[in-house]
Amino acid sequence: GTTPARTNSYTIAYTYPGDGSLSPATDASKTLTLNQAELVVSANNATRPYRQVNPLFTGTITGVVNNDNISASYTCGAITNSPPGNYPIVPTLNDPNNRLGNYSVITNLGILTVDCPTITIRPAIP
């Protein structure tokens, strides 16, 4: 999913008293607009055999600026007894310093593939 971009605008007002001879006094203002940085968090795909525990899920974060302390953890709803199939791996951002408001966040899910069990059939020995 994507967090909607937020733009912060600030008005900067200034007064120039003039120099008494060449430049007259002036009052003016300008608008300064700060846009959010784009932050992308992506979970890596993973595979595991049926009836095994989930592997450690990993991923990447790109776009963190100003040494903001933002990290991610990755979870999946599949459990040991989950049937073979595909399950989403969901990234969750950790933001202890409340900096995510400065970012437009794009989240990419990963996929855990639970493989079918391998069955070996041996012929009966008479």
Side-chain angles (χ1 to χ4, degrees), residues 5-109:
R6 182 179 76 190
T7 300
N8 292 313
S9 294
Y10 302 92
T11 300
I12 301 171
Y14 57 91
T15 300
Y16 176 66
D19 64 9
S21 62
L22 298 175
S23 299
T26 304
D27 288 328
S29 65
K30 295 289 182 184
T31 300
L32 172 67
T33 302
L34 301 175
N35 295 319
Q36 290 178 307
E38 184 177 271
L39 184 142
V40 179
V41 57
S42 301
N44 294 329
N45 294 334
T47 302
R48 73 160 170 85
Y50 174 67
R51 299 197 49 91
Q52 298 294 315
V53 296
N54 288 338
L56 176 64
F57 299 121
T58 61
T60 58
I61 300 175
T62 57
V64 175
V65 295
N66 298 325
N67 294 315
D68 286 343
N69 185 23
I70 297 173
S71 61
S73 56
Y74 306 90
T75 58
C76 181
I79 60 173
T80 303
N81 293 331
S82 293
N86 293 327
Y87 299 85
I89 301 170
V90 181
T92 300
L93 290 170
N94 306 308
D95 177 27
N97 300 322
N98 298 312
R99 301 287 192 231
L100 280 178
N102 297 325
Y103 294 90
S104 172
V105 178
I106 297 171
T107 302
N108 296 310
L109 303 178

